[in-house]
Amino acid sequence: MTAAILASVIDNRLHAIAARMADAMLRSCRSAAFQSRDFVTGIFDSDGAWIATKDFIPVLAGSLPSAYEGVLAKFAGDVGEGDVFVLNDPYHGNNHPPDVTVLKPVFHRGVLRFWTATKGHHADVGGSGGELGYNPGARDCYEDALRIPPVRLYRRGVRQDDVWDLILLNLRLRDAVEGDLHCQIGAAALGERELVAMLDAFGVEPVLEAVRFQLAAAARHMRSEIARWPDGVYEAVRHLDDGGEHHREPIAVRLRLTVAGERAVFDFTGSDPQVTGYANSTRANTVASALVALFAVTDPAQRRTSGALSAIDVLTRPGTIAHAVEPAATTLCTITACEAIVEAVWLALAQADPALTHAGWCRGYAFAAVGIDERTGRPFGATGALKGGSGAVLGFDGWDAIGPPVAMGGGREVDVELHELAAPATILHQGFATDSAGAGRWRGGLGGFSRWRIDQDGVRVVCIGSGALEQTVPYGLAGGLPAPANRGVVRHRDGRVTVPRTNSTLVLERGDVIEIHTSGGGGYGDPRERSREAVLADVRDGLVSEAAARDVYGLFP
């Protein structure tokens, strides 16, 4: 077997192991967040190279290398067989506190050869809010969440009960978190067994040589992709709606993208200062978000590994929204900051050639409810929303209800029945929303419309997200139009109608109904160049109104 063929076999085996780890998590998880696939798995070699992943949520996967570095910074030289490490602190290598990282060293015949990693968004990470990890009122990292620096959950195979107690006693939804931690640990152990079996089957040196071969191939692949971009310096600015309850002004992410031959530099140093609020991005999150944007505009076959990362540089300045420093709060950064970073990359690249990139995707927008379920006397946490549409590209409409870009289509909607079992709420309606997509020769994907009723009094609900302002809606490209803004409406049982502000907390009563309108994606190209047949089909299917067909697409003179 030639080196290239063996390298391909080993590479596919590694990614299959990461996928099996993810399947195990999906089958054994406890929380609605994990059921929606808000997690990733990964594999590192003993030198710290990221070599395989299953990235349902790409922004989580892109921060795995920094989490690995955080654990090794503390425990290098003190790692044993049977150890399991955990981390969620954004200032020790993690991206944001709700995404908890578990790392397990893999020994083969007494020698450290690999690491398995799992990371997922937990239902509760403490702090003063508790709304599934999102607290719009947080002013700093202490109000944001319980901070877990790199520590051992297991030492040489022995459970560290004092560490478990310290974590779980600070949580409201401790049963769900404990279950999901065991889910992560079990998946990491499954990966360990599979990697050991692979080493036994192929031999240590052939496997390590195959890993080196594939990392070099990934680097060449990414360099060839960047070489397709026109050389130049391109600048773009995108905004977050706000930073939470303590910062109600839009916040700018500024990018200067330099393309020179086979290398690209993503420079975010001109971004606005960090704010008092929970939307600040850690450097790990900014790097991960830039990778989300990069992998979305390069060959889908490109392996997301350390090899690919060697072709780029990401520059940030400490103290900014793109590189927050302690004690800034950060729990929202994987949503709103990530989206602004991704959009800035795509818009900068569109200056070089719009055909290389996407129109704007929907931004994350949801309502999360927490409290004590009076039916069971147990704490609950649940999120209600439909995903929005992706942006159109040259030659293709966007995907319906697939966004936001933090997941790039990897998430999924929580089953309605499971949602109603988990929380005192009833889902009344879910579906696509007419005229929610940005118009274009190729229109954006459809956004959604959902209604859910609160079924007990005194339920705390937090409105999370972005994309509710004119300057933050999904943009169009090459003459395409933007999509409508995200918006929410509460129809109270007493007849009142209120419009909650993004990133705010409210208390709802039995019978109150939340309506959620998620935006579609932006359009690409002049809407009046869309084919008559496509517009008629959209009108027939209820995706585009007759009024829009006439006034925007020019179908009916």
Side-chain angles (χ1 to χ4, degrees):
M1 188 181 295
T2 67
I5 292 174
L6 180 60
S8 180
V9 170
I10 296 299
D11 183 61
N12 284 327
R13 180 78 169 262
L14 288 167
H15 282 81
I17 292 170
R20 285 202 64 191
M21 292 165 60
D23 288 341
M25 288 183 64
L26 196 58
R27 291 194 302 269
S28 61
C29 63
R30 290 286 302 276
S31 70
F34 275 37
Q35 290 164 14
S36 69
R37 302 198 301 197
D38 196 347
F39 61 81
V40 297
T41 62
I43 301 172
F44 292 82
D45 69 13
S46 59
D47 295 325
W50 179 30
I51 59 175
T53 190
K54 180 60 179 177
D55 51 351
F56 289 131
I57 310 295
V59 73
L60 274 67
S63 60
L64 283 174
S66 63
Y68 169 87
E69 292 167 4
V71 169
L72 265 290
K74 182 172 181 180
F75 291 104
D78 184 22
V79 176
E81 193 163 357
D83 284 354
V84 176
F85 300 91
V86 68
L87 164 69
N88 90 322
D89 183 28
Y91 300 114
H92 283 84
N94 210 54
N95 51 338
H96 80 149
D99 293 337
V100 178
T101 303
V102 167
L103 283 163
K104 192 176 196 310
V106 177
F107 285 79
H108 179 258
R109 298 176 185 174
V111 180
L112 177 63
R113 296 298 185 187
F114 293 105
W115 290 76
T116 56
T118 60
K119 172 178 284 198
H121 187 111
H122 278 258
D124 184 10
V125 285
S128 61
E131 292 90 352
L132 298 173
Y134 298 115
N135 178 13
R139 291 166 292 188
D140 53 36
C141 60
Y142 308 109
E143 294 182 341
D144 217 14
L146 172 69
R147 297 170 62 188
I148 309 169
V151 292
R152 286 184 177 92
L153 288 175
Y154 285 83
R155 180 191 293 270
R156 306 318 194 254
V158 178
R159 176 183 164 114
Q160 303 301 288
D161 289 331
D162 52 350
V163 175
W164 283 86
D165 288 345
L166 180 61
I167 295 171
L168 296 176
L169 287 173
N170 281 282
L171 306 179
R172 301 163 181 84
L173 304 177
R174 59 174 298 167
D175 289 347
V177 172
E178 184 173 17
D180 283 348
L181 279 175
H182 282 300
C183 158
Q184 289 185 251
I185 294 166
L190 183 150
E192 175 188 33
R193 293 195 299 271
E194 294 283 338
L195 289 167
V196 169
M198 182 184 68
L199 291 167
D200 286 338
F202 291 96
V204 172
E205 286 309 314
V207 167
L208 298 184
E209 179 59 31
V211 167
R212 289 189 287 269
F213 185 99
Q214 282 296 73
L215 288 172
R220 291 193 301 272
H221 192 174
M222 181 56 78
R223 289 197 298 268
S224 69
E225 287 291 298
I226 293 174
R228 297 189 301 110
W229 303 351
D231 284 359
V233 178
Y234 312 101
E235 297 184 352
V237 181
R238 290 299 284 172
H239 290 82
L240 292 70
D241 284 32
D242 58 45
E245 294 175 358
H246 303 290
H247 187 99
R248 286 305 189 185
E249 297 298 321
I251 310 160
V253 170
R254 297 184 177 88
L255 169 65
R256 181 181 176 90
L257 170 63
T258 302
V259 181
E262 296 183 332
R263 292 199 64 81
V265 178
F266 301 85
D267 184 348
F268 295 97
T269 57
S271 298
D272 278 357
Q274 67 187 54
V275 300
T276 301
Y278 74 150
N280 300 289
S281 181
T282 58
R283 173 171 166 78
N285 183 73
T286 295
V287 172
S289 301
L291 296 181
V292 171
L294 175 67
F295 287 128
V297 295
T298 51
D299 185 352
Q302 172 73 60
R303 288 302 200 192
R304 292 177 283 283
T305 67
S306 291
L309 309 192
S310 65
I312 67 167
D313 293 300
V314 179
L315 307 181
T316 58
R317 180 165 56 89
T320 63
I321 192 69
H323 186 161
V325 297
E326 192 172 356
T330 60
T331 50
L332 194 64
C333 71
T334 55
I335 301 179
T336 60
C338 173
E339 291 158 350
I341 291 164
V342 168
E343 291 172 10
V345 173
W346 290 347
L347 271 179
L349 193 57
Q351 296 175 29
D353 183 357
L356 292 172
T357 187
H358 302 245
W361 287 43
C362 74
R363 291 194 178 189
Y365 184 78
F367 286 78
V370 295
I372 303 296
D373 192 333
E374 63 184 20
R375 300 171 299 181
T376 63
R378 298 173 65 85
F380 70 87
T383 304
L386 277 178
K387 294 175 174 63
S390 73
V393 298
L394 176 66
F396 297 94
D397 292 346
W399 294 95
D400 302 326
I402 194 176
V406 301
M408 292 302 297
R412 69 179 185 184
E413 296 298 334
V414 175
D415 182 272
V416 169
E417 285 76 17
L418 291 176
H419 186 284
E420 293 176 348
L421 284 172
T426 300
I427 308 299
L428 303 175
H429 176 90
Q430 287 193 158
F432 295 139
T434 302
D435 291 338
S436 58
R441 181 177 181 182
W442 297 282
R443 64 160 173 78
L446 272 292
F449 170 60
S450 62
R451 299 171 66 241
W452 52 294
R453 185 185 66 226
I454 300 297
D455 291 337
Q456 73 178 44
D457 289 332
V459 175
R460 293 185 67 212
V461 177
V462 60
C463 176
I464 312 161
S466 186
L469 304 179
E470 183 177 353
Q471 69 197 99
T472 61
V473 299
Y475 57 85
L477 281 182
L481 300 184
N486 287 320
R487 62 188 179 93
V489 174
V490 178
R491 299 189 183 279
H492 299 269
R493 65 183 181 187
D494 61 8
R496 291 179 299 119
V497 177
T498 58
V499 178
R501 189 163 190 170
T502 54
N503 304 310
S504 62
T505 302
L506 52 155
V507 178
L508 299 182
E509 308 299 334
R510 187 188 307 272
D512 292 345
V513 174
I514 302 171
E515 293 183 359
I516 304 170
H517 302 255
T518 57
S519 62
Y524 189 105
D526 186 342
R528 293 180 180 262
E529 295 179 1
R530 186 168 177 82
S531 74
R532 175 183 177 87
E533 293 75 17
V535 177
L536 286 173
D538 284 347
V539 172
R540 182 190 65 233
D541 294 339
L543 309 182
V544 172
S545 67
E546 290 189 8
R550 179 186 63 247
D551 299 336
V552 179
Y553 289 98
L555 185 61
F556 306 116

